[in-house]
Amino acid sequence: MPDYGHDLLFGTFVTPSVSPAHHAVDLAVTADRAGLDLVTFQDHPYQPRFHDTWTLLSYVASRTERIHLSGNVLSLPLRQPAVLARSAASLDLLSGGRVELGLGAGAFWDAIDAMGGRRLSPAQAVAALEEAIAIMRQLWAADRPGGVHVKGDYYTADGAKRGPAPAHDIGIWVGAYKPRMLALTGRAADGWLPSLPYLPGGPSDLADLNARIDEAATSAGRSPSDVRRLLNLNGRFSDTSTSLLNGPPDQWAEELAGLTLEHGITGFVLATDDEYATELFASEVAPATRELVAAERRG
Amino acid sequence: MHYGHALTFGTFLTPSARDPGQVVSLATRAEELGFDLVTIQDHPYQPAHLDAWTLLTWLAGRTRRVTLAPGVLNLPLRAPAVLAGAAASLDRLSGGRLALALGAGAFWKAIGAMGGRTLSPGESVAALSEAIDLIRARWDVTGEGPVRLHGEHYHVDGAARGPAPAHDVPLWLGAAKPRMLRLLGEKADGWVVTHQLLRPGQLAQGNRRIDEAAVAAGRDPREIRRLLNVSGDFLGGPGEKWVEELLPLVVDDGVGTFILMTDDAETLERFAGEVAPALREAVERELPGAFRRPLRRAAVRARRREGIAYDDLPETLADTTIEPGDVGYAEVRSTYLRGGAPGLVLRPGTEEEVAEALAFARAHPHLPLSLRSGGHGISGRSTNDGGIVLDVSRLDSIDVVDPARRRVHIGPGARWMDVAAALAPHGLALTSGDYGGVGVGGLATAGGLGFLARKHGLTIDHLRAVRMVLADGSVVRASDHENPDLFWAVRGAGANFGIVTSFEFEADEVGDVGWAQLVFDASDTAGLLHRWGAAQEAAPRDVTSFLLVSPPRRGRPPMAHLMAMVDTADPETILDRLRPLAEIGPLYDQSVVLTSYASVMANASPDAHDGRGEPVTRSAFAEHITPEFAADAERLIRGGAVYFFQIRSVGGAVADVPPDATAYAHRSANFSVTTFGVDRRRVDAAWDRLAEHVDGLYLSFETDTRPERLADAFPPATLRRLRELKAAYDPDNVFRDNFNITPSTTKEPTHA
Ligand SMILES: Cc1cc2nc3c(=O)[nH]c(=O)nc-3n(C[C@H](O)[C@H](O)[C@H](O)COP(=O)(O)OP(=O)(O)OC[C@H]3O[C@@H](n4cnc5c(N)ncnc54)[C@H](O)[C@@H]3O)c2cc1C
């Protein structure tokens, strides 16, 4: 059933390798020049082989022109929500509205704990994420009266000043698979950002997961289309078609258009550190997919 | 009273969120005006401000030269372990331009409203002290074990170390009260203080407190830079008046940096034009020659090795040189195959700096000296223990100066994969080796046995000239016409004669190539070797292949891995050429692609080297792979002394060059044989048994240091000539880290 009707976004998921220092920057610049909509980076502050993702995003933003940027996803337990909200608004202002906020409730708790972060159970982490989202939304709503007031079990803001307002409505995108997180996504997020390789049943798992989000959105008085559905992908370009996203670009386009029309996915984020694949994704897959979807939507 | 820091100037900008473009343009304007530093105040609870860290990082992408620092960063709202990583990232992304200025916190009510923890002043100083330890520990990638700190305020238990920043990021503190000043003297690298907020005499008093604490902690007060925020109001009146007011602060109070607090472009311009240069001059007049480069921290100096005059390093090299206590040390101490612990790694960035670095190294004749380009030396001991490494990897330019004549100029620090990638768009390639990570400097001074050898010869056969720094510090060009003797010697024994700073090559036109990887069952090892040798010798020149045989392991038979390049884009020819090679034994696996030379070469990781121990290798040349040789080779492979055995085909165009035309003399050989093992004595004993089948050796693959090896590397006439030239060009034997040719004893007059 669902095609939530959003326009399509195409992006990459680039390894934030710390060495060579500009590896990820160069790939992001390639994606920007190639005309992709989005470049994203994973965030593991405890991983010494990776850049600090917020710093990398800020730097990449200053070296690119049109592309939007997001963590994929930021590790909330090691980032103070009010500071993060203000940082995101700042980068959004500096970049002319190119920041989206991919957020995760946290994973690798041993590593988080070793860094001095707080260890939470899965249920606690979901609750903490919801509190953080509330703080961030209040802080961005600069024209509302009064300060930010959220009295949570995990995060509290008690009269922090609001602002600055970001340059555009920053999308809060959440990586979610389990019922509690899916419900939170439907209630509170602007986007859903799972990874195809983590879906044990492949794309067909999407139907069920979407339905849970839709349900949660509806019961929170929102519309299911308030939540954009994005998907992290792995794939390989090759001359002959062997399996899902393993074949020539036109095969990809058909498969991605299928994901849009059947499962409402309108953000395709390709995990790649390869310039050639990045360019091919932008120059061949994206336009062909858009065309197929547009034709189908025209009916 | 001064601390010897060269005078620098900075700005202090308001990160106003209302017009983000304004603070960005002020920062870039400051850089254009010659300011050394841009600082951004940080008040994360202030909605009218942009987040300072985000803005600083943005500015890193928009500036090229200035140092960037928060002024100062509000610690209570930032987790120190995460901050350490963020700082390392920013320092790396900006090319080493971060100074991390920290504050213990202020405006506690606002911090609390943000969800931060409110601390008493005493607690906040203690927390800052813990944070400094944590940050330094995460940066110290050479430290033992993971980071642990069970503090009152921060609890970190087992966090990984790293990433290290690109340079020794100075930690500055904003401080005014005694407790903070004491902490600063104990642990920090700079004092940031605002002039307006000081009572008369407070600067001197603060300095005293810092200095006392520094000395008590075993430090030298000169390690600590004093930075003063000064504001436009204070600096009323004409430029001379400003100079007059600022001069005593330098001369009497040891201020090393003035940070101008203004958001007004005109004030910045006036300051840069009228005040900064005049103040520098006035200071030089008052305290001539007093300003040198800042001292490295006591903790860094404590890791210095004996016998190196660290403090005599010329100014030009100081910034890029790495010593054992420096953050970058872990990435430069070792090479690809060798662990090392040098006392100093000099990293000159220009030819003049190479000469300076060499002069500095020569002032330490008692210490080992290693020369390094790409760090893939096997025979070349490009690291050492306690000595000096002269690393020219920053000379890595690749210029196609004349595509029509196929002329390219390449710096020694370039890696062959980058060379291949840069030449490919011009339809050109230079034969190199089989691994893209290898540096140009080491390979192009020794030979260069690569995948295009039979068609196009050795890498050195494409060399038309070199520029080099000789032992006496002179810079010369050598070619067939200029210093022809030297040019002869460089092509095969270059490491003994000087430091090549630029190679001038004539590349070949190379289009797409056939690239095959075949895996064989090598149970019949000898038969396979012999059949391959025969097939390869019979093959036309456009095919060059390397055969790697691995010993049997855990019930698995020996395996052979063949890599072959066919220099043609015609698929039929490629398959024709490969067919005889594919028939040498039972095939396990095969892959054949039409691809570019550059993509075959793009096979190395960009990671820093972290070799351990010493490679144990042997090398030899062979004319043919006779059945007898093949049988003895099988015995070696199965004997357990070696884990890697490779034969490469050479011959073809390599043999077109007469043996006396270059110092690389083994032109007639069809094969180069190499082995790696673990135990020196076992490998040597096993290898020496091949002696009757082989002749000579390729020095780049040989690590045996017994004196006979020199005679294997160079035939008598070649060696005689090399010795004479060595006496002329390097009579003191400065260059000795790679197949050292001792000068002939009859000293000749040095070259003109
Ligand atoms: C994985 C691997 C694969 C290899 N494959 C091949 C191959 O296919 N074909 C081949 O021919 N060789 C090959 N080699 C050998 C390689 O060419 C030599 O080890 C070479 O010295 C490495 O050059 P480098 O600049 O990377 O090494 P470095 O370690 O930087 O230098 C090695 C030595 O070269 C000398 N040297 C370095 N720079 C200069 C300079 N600017 N001027 C003068 N002398 C200098 C010094 O004596 C130094 O000790 C390989 C080595 C490795 C480790």
Side-chain angles (χ1 to χ4, degrees):
Chain A
M1 73 141 234
D3 171 6
Y4 306 91
H6 300 121
D7 54 346
L8 301 192
L9 301 179
F10 293 84
T12 53
F13 173 88
V14 172
T15 312
S17 311
V18 78
S19 169
H22 282 250
H23 163 90
V25 181
D26 294 344
L27 284 161
V29 168
T30 301
D32 186 37
R33 294 210 178 119
L36 287 176
D37 309 294
L38 186 63
V39 62
T40 69
F41 308 101
Q42 55 191 310
D43 180 32
H44 298 288
Y46 33 78
Q47 169 52 270
R49 297 175 70 85
F50 289 170
H51 271 302
D52 172 66
T53 299
W54 190 258
T55 305
L56 178 64
L57 284 167
S58 305
Y59 189 84
V60 165
S62 83
R63 304 303 298 241
T64 50
E65 283 165 15
R66 293 187 318 267
I67 201 161
H68 283 231
L69 310 114
S70 175
N72 190 347
V73 289
L74 293 179
S75 171
L76 183 68
L78 286 169
R79 309 204 172 260
Q80 218 278 348
V83 176
L84 180 58
R86 210 158 257 148
S87 303
S90 299
L91 191 56
D92 203 51
L93 288 165
L94 284 162
S95 67
R98 295 194 281 126
V99 175
E100 314 298 340
L101 206 56
L103 284 181
F108 305 101
W109 292 101
D110 286 345
I112 288 170
D113 180 59
M115 288 282 281
R118 171 171 58 183
R119 186 192 290 273
L120 298 177
S121 73
Q124 292 172 326
V126 177
L129 176 57
E130 191 151 14
E131 294 170 13
I133 292 176
I135 291 178
M136 294 195 257
R137 293 217 192 268
Q138 286 194 26
L139 196 134
W140 288 337
D143 46 6
R144 298 269 183 77
V148 179
H149 290 281
V150 171
K151 202 161 168 38
D153 293 331
Y154 308 96
Y155 297 113
T156 291
D158 185 11
K161 297 211 169 81
R162 293 171 185 266
H168 87 305
D169 269 335
I170 295 178
I172 293 184
W173 298 343
V174 174
Y177 304 90
K178 300 271 172 61
R180 257 191 300 252
M181 275 292 274
L182 292 164
L184 161 66
T185 307
R187 261 193 325 269
D190 307 307
W192 177 46
L193 183 51
S195 297
L196 185 52
Y198 291 173
L199 302 180
S204 58
D205 285 0
L206 289 168
D208 195 37
L209 301 170
N210 268 327
R212 284 174 188 273
I213 295 172
D214 296 352
E215 222 178 273
T218 316
S219 45
R222 306 174 79 204
S223 153
S225 65
D226 288 347
V227 186
R228 178 191 276 281
R229 319 295 154 116
L230 303 102
L231 189 62
N232 291 312
L233 313 166
N234 281 60
R236 228 170 73 96
F237 290 108
S238 52
D239 294 340
T240 48
S241 152
T242 50
S243 54
L244 180 67
L245 300 180
N246 193 338
D250 48 347
Q251 177 200 327
W252 282 53
E254 277 181 26
E255 288 166 348
L256 297 186
L259 288 170
T260 305
L261 299 165
E262 281 168 49
H263 297 295
I265 303 295
T266 52
F268 298 106
V269 183
L270 176 64
T272 183
D273 285 346
D274 185 76
E275 285 192 25
Y276 179 68
T278 303
E279 279 162 5
L280 216 55
F281 195 55
S283 65
E284 306 212 1
V285 178
T289 312
R290 287 198 166 102
E291 238 168 75
L292 289 172
V293 169
E296 201 62 34
R297 281 180 178 170
R298 273 195 305 269
Chain B
M1 167 63 143
H2 67 83
Y3 300 95
H5 293 259
L7 199 58
T8 60
F9 299 97
T11 63
F12 177 93
L13 303 175
T14 311
S16 165
R18 196 163 318 122
D19 181 6
Q22 199 210 347
V23 60
V24 176
S25 71
L26 280 172
T28 51
R29 183 75 188 121
E31 175 168 86
E32 282 163 16
L33 290 169
F35 280 90
D36 307 286
L37 172 68
V38 169
T39 71
I40 302 287
Q41 52 177 307
D42 179 42
H43 299 287
Y45 31 77
Q46 168 55 269
H49 283 184
L50 297 168
D51 172 63
W53 193 261
T54 305
L55 175 60
L56 277 174
T57 310
W58 178 276
L59 292 177
R62 295 292 167 103
T63 53
R64 293 181 25 229
R65 190 186 47 77
V66 281
T67 296
L68 298 159
V72 294
L73 203 72
N74 182 288
L75 185 66
L77 283 168
R78 317 215 175 238
V82 179
L83 178 60
S89 279
L90 179 48
D91 197 51
R92 283 173 174 245
L93 290 166
S94 66
R97 295 193 282 128
L98 175 68
L100 189 58
L102 298 175
F107 305 99
W108 292 100
K109 196 156 166 281
I111 290 171
M114 291 275 285
R117 165 170 69 178
T118 51
L119 299 175
S120 74
E123 287 168 339
S124 73
V125 176
L128 178 57
S129 174
E130 290 177 17
I132 292 174
D133 293 346
L134 257 179
I135 292 169
R136 288 213 199 274
R138 274 212 91 201
W139 287 346
D140 179 10
V141 291
T142 53
E144 288 281 313
V147 179
R148 290 185 207 286
L149 182 120
H150 305 280
E152 290 272 310
H153 303 279
Y154 299 110
H155 190 88
V156 163
D157 193 1
R161 291 174 188 271
H167 85 304
D168 195 351
V169 172
L171 277 181
W172 299 338
L173 301 186
K177 304 271 174 60
R179 257 191 302 237
M180 277 292 280
L181 294 167
R182 200 176 321 126
L183 171 64
L184 202 156
E186 284 164 8
K187 296 189 177 173
D189 309 311
W191 180 27
V192 187
V193 65
T194 300
H195 190 250
Q196 262 179 321
L197 304 180
L198 292 172
R199 293 184 308 276
Q202 223 184 338
L203 195 54
Q205 189 190 44
N207 274 331
R208 233 179 357 259
R209 287 218 159 91
I210 292 170
D211 296 354
E212 278 167 20
V215 171
R219 305 180 67 200
D220 185 324
R222 288 175 303 167
E223 293 170 32
I224 301 162
R225 180 178 279 277
R226 323 291 153 133
L227 305 97
L228 195 62
N229 291 323
V230 292
S231 67
D233 308 346
F234 157 75
L235 296 163
E240 306 91 75
K241 178 136 177 296
W242 297 16
V243 174
E244 222 171 87
E245 290 185 41
L246 297 180
L247 184 60
L249 293 169
V250 180
V251 176
D252 304 332
D253 294 309
V255 171
T257 303
F258 290 104
I259 301 173
L260 187 60
M261 302 172 87
T262 183
D263 292 312
D264 175 45
E266 210 183 298
T267 308
L268 287 179
E269 278 157 24
R270 274 191 65 197
F271 190 87
E274 297 169 30
V275 182
L279 184 60
R280 278 207 173 97
E281 264 173 46
V283 166
E284 188 55 42
R285 253 194 326 273
E286 291 281 319
L287 302 166
F291 296 93
R292 309 178 33 140
R293 120 188 76 89
L295 270 189
R296 277 175 159 89
R297 278 181 294 118
V300 174
R301 295 201 310 275
R303 297 202 204 169
R304 288 178 165 179
R305 301 290 294 262
E306 248 167 60
I308 299 180
Y310 290 94
D311 294 325
D312 295 347
L313 262 178
E315 208 73 16
T316 40
L317 299 175
D319 277 352
T320 53
T321 293
I322 297 178
E323 54 177 271
D326 286 341
V327 277
Y329 187 68
E331 297 193 357
V332 298
R333 60 184 300 174
S334 298
T335 60
Y336 186 70
L337 289 173
R338 214 172 243 111
L344 192 69
V345 179
L346 298 162
R347 301 191 310 143
T350 64
E351 197 170 70
E352 299 75 61
E353 289 177 15
V354 171
E356 280 185 85
L358 180 60
F360 182 83
R362 288 206 60 174
H364 300 78
H366 53 289
L367 291 180
L369 171 62
S370 295
L371 192 54
R372 185 187 302 169
S373 288
H376 279 70
I378 301 173
S379 60
R381 274 124 177 115
S382 49
T383 189
N384 57 49
D385 184 6
I388 294 175
V389 172
L390 204 163
D391 179 333
V392 294
S393 59
R394 292 172 62 220
L395 301 176
D396 62 353
S397 60
I398 305 168
D399 296 311
V400 180
V401 292
D402 185 348
R405 288 174 53 236
R406 310 194 305 274
R407 283 301 190 112
V408 291
H409 292 185
I410 306 180
R415 302 176 311 155
W416 287 107
M417 62 190 284
D418 301 321
V419 173
L423 301 194
H426 301 276
L428 300 176
L430 254 178
T431 179
S432 46
D434 61 357
Y435 192 60
V438 168
V440 170
L443 183 137
T445 45
L449 316 187
F451 285 125
L452 297 169
R454 296 181 76 247
K455 173 86 169 279
H456 296 291
L458 300 175
T459 309
I460 54 169
D461 299 339
H462 296 75
L463 206 46
R464 296 295 169 262
V466 291
R467 289 180 62 86
M468 57 197 294
V469 176
L470 300 178
D472 64 5
S474 59
V475 178
V476 298
R477 189 164 180 275
S479 68
D480 279 336
H481 313 291
E482 286 167 83
N483 302 299
D485 273 350
L486 184 60
F487 189 51
W488 172 84
V490 162
R491 287 171 294 165
N496 269 281
F497 289 89
I499 306 164
V500 177
T501 52
S502 173
F503 294 86
E504 305 178 21
F505 287 107
E506 186 175 320
D508 295 304
E509 273 171 32
V510 177
D512 273 355
V513 297
W515 172 241
Q517 302 194 63
L518 311 180
V519 183
F520 299 96
D521 177 336
S523 297
D524 173 17
T525 312
L528 186 100
L529 286 171
H530 173 66
R531 285 190 293 277
W532 171 71
Q536 178 61 75
E537 276 194 56
R541 285 184 171 197
D542 54 11
V543 50
T544 302
S545 70
F546 296 2
L547 187 72
L548 170 68
V549 186
S550 8
R553 214 179 298 145
R554 283 195 231 111
R556 205 203 60 195
M559 308 272 278
H561 192 124
L562 182 89
M563 292 185 285
M565 188 175 283
V566 189
D567 181 14
T568 172
D570 174 40
E572 284 306 309
T573 314
I574 292 170
L575 293 178
D576 268 2
R577 297 292 190 267
L578 293 174
R579 210 161 291 124
L581 293 174
E583 281 164 5
I584 59 172
L587 261 180
Y588 270 157
D589 195 7
Q590 56 174 321
S591 111
V592 182
V593 291
L594 186 63
T595 183
S596 66
Y597 182 73
S599 39
V600 176
M601 277 300 112
N603 57 5
S605 104
D607 292 352
H609 298 319
D610 60 353
R612 303 274 155 89
E614 272 285 311
V616 177
T617 73
R618 294 301 304 268
S619 159
F621 285 111
E623 297 287 325
H624 309 290
I625 304 182
T626 60
E628 297 76 24
F629 175 26
D632 281 347
E634 171 159 3
R635 222 160 285 140
L636 174 77
I637 292 164
R638 291 179 180 272
V642 306
Y643 62 85
F644 175 104
F645 180 89
Q646 189 194 42
I647 310 188
R648 312 172 155 221
S649 59
V650 272
V654 177
D656 293 348
V657 178
D660 61 355
T662 61
Y664 177 104
H666 301 284
R667 296 286 179 172
S668 65
N670 283 308
F671 299 98
S672 155
V673 193
T674 312
T675 202
F676 276 70
V678 174
D679 182 302
R680 177 89 263 163
R681 297 239 307 274
R682 272 186 82 198
V683 171
D684 285 344
W687 183 262
D688 289 348
R689 269 175 238 132
L690 296 182
E692 62 182 285
H693 311 294
V694 296
D695 183 27
L697 61 81
Y698 179 40
L699 67 85
S700 279
F701 290 152
E702 179 62 75
T703 53
D704 181 11
T705 49
R706 287 175 290 179
E708 316 77 283
R709 293 294 85 78
L710 201 57
D712 289 339
F714 306 107
T718 305
L719 187 55
R720 203 174 317 117
R721 187 170 172 198
L722 284 170
R723 282 221 156 96
E724 282 164 15
L725 290 171
K726 180 79 172 175
Y729 284 101
D730 185 15
D732 301 326
N733 201 17
V734 174
F735 302 111
R736 56 184 184 277
D737 73 343
N738 189 2
F739 261 82
N740 190 207
I741 299 161
T742 46
S744 75
T745 39
T746 49
K747 270 203 180 177
E748 303 192 6
T750 32
H751 69 105

